[in-house]
Amino acid sequence: MFLFVSFTAINAQYNSAAIKLGYFSPSVSDGGFIIGYEGGKYIDENFRIGWSADWFHKEYIDKSLVGEFNEIPGSLDYTVNELRAETNIHQIPLMGTMTASFPVAPRWKAFVTASLGLDILLIVYNSYENPSEDDIHGAFDFAWRLGGGASYQLGRRSEIFGEIVYHNSTPSWTYDVVDGNGRKHTFEREFDMSGFLTRVGVRFYY
């Protein structure tokens, strides 16, 4: 009887789906809201592998780019250079995940989690020649995460959880501008997306 109950409990949690909401604070900008989804498959009752996708959006002024623009001959208008450096980013990390859980009390588990994958960054920025016009570019980088948290079992097929995770990636791309004298200047734009995520979520088993 005990073996049957254990087998049933593990099978009931063979697959999982989680929605996560929280706060992400990357180095490149101020922090903000982040939303994510994680799908998983249980190898056993305390070890899960899966995949995740998140979305983070932020608008900010790239101060380092303003400084570089100010060094271009004939481009000393700080207000215009701030307009040129306005940046709108959409981050979509696609990660493979693995999570190990450890029972600590009735219905409670602690867990550690690690992820590897690709960080996709969609950048909307103002044209140097005409700051009122938008340009769009994509940047990519290898990304990894490491973190932990705790979960509380609500029922046979659901739980709530909280986690703190460190994300590491720095997508970059080469940015060319032409000054008033027709000279081309090349900048390496780096977006340090490294920082901590603090999130809560709900997970369902099926």
Side-chain angles (χ1 to χ4, degrees):
M1 181 66 179
F2 173 78
L3 291 176
F4 176 78
V5 172
S6 298
F7 180 80
T8 302
I10 293 173
N11 270 317
Q13 300 178 4
Y14 190 69
N15 295 294
S16 66
I19 300 296
K20 305 179 180 184
L21 305 173
Y23 185 85
F24 178 41
S25 182
S27 298
V28 73
S29 68
D30 293 335
F33 174 75
I34 186 169
I35 184 171
Y37 173 86
E38 181 184 341
K41 176 171 289 189
Y42 278 77
I43 304 304
D44 60 39
E45 60 182 327
N46 291 317
F47 187 73
R48 182 180 72 248
I49 60 173
W51 65 276
S52 69
D54 301 294
W55 175 70
F56 172 77
H57 169 243
K58 200 68 181 178
E59 295 184 31
Y60 69 101
I61 295 175
D62 189 334
K63 296 295 186 181
S64 63
L65 189 61
V66 173
E68 292 177 341
F69 284 164
N70 287 339
E71 295 177 2
I72 297 177
S75 180
L76 297 178
D77 190 327
Y78 186 84
T79 301
V80 174
N81 286 338
E82 275 200 337
L83 181 61
R84 288 167 170 159
E86 286 184 358
T87 305
N88 185 337
I89 58 173
H90 295 266
Q91 181 196 25
I92 306 173
L94 302 176
M95 314 286 285
T97 67
M98 57 182 179
T99 303
S101 301
F102 310 93
V104 293
R107 293 183 175 267
W108 284 95
K109 286 186 177 182
F111 64 84
V112 293
T113 183
S115 305
L116 296 174
L118 179 68
D119 201 356
I120 302 171
L121 204 62
L122 178 65
I123 307 131
V124 182
Y125 62 99
N126 292 337
S127 167
Y128 180 85
E129 291 79 11
N130 187 353
S132 63
E133 294 183 358
D134 290 339
D135 288 329
I136 301 176
H137 197 87
F140 308 89
D141 192 30
F142 169 79
W144 60 265
R145 289 177 177 174
L146 187 63
S151 63
Y152 177 78
Q153 183 181 358
L154 294 175
R156 292 181 61 250
R157 295 181 178 272
S158 62
E159 69 178 19
I160 55 174
F161 62 91
E163 64 180 9
I164 298 177
V165 177
Y166 179 76
H167 174 95
N168 182 276
S169 69
T170 310
S172 64
W173 60 287
T174 301
Y175 178 47
D176 294 328
V177 303
V178 178
D179 65 23
N181 298 318
R183 297 175 181 174
K184 184 172 76 172
H185 301 264
T186 300
F187 302 98
E188 180 73 16
R189 292 203 66 180
E190 290 190 345
F191 299 85
D192 187 355
M193 302 305 296
S194 302
F196 283 94
L197 299 90
T198 304
R199 302 195 285 190
V200 295
V202 57
R203 177 173 286 107
F204 302 98
Y205 304 111
Y206 59 95

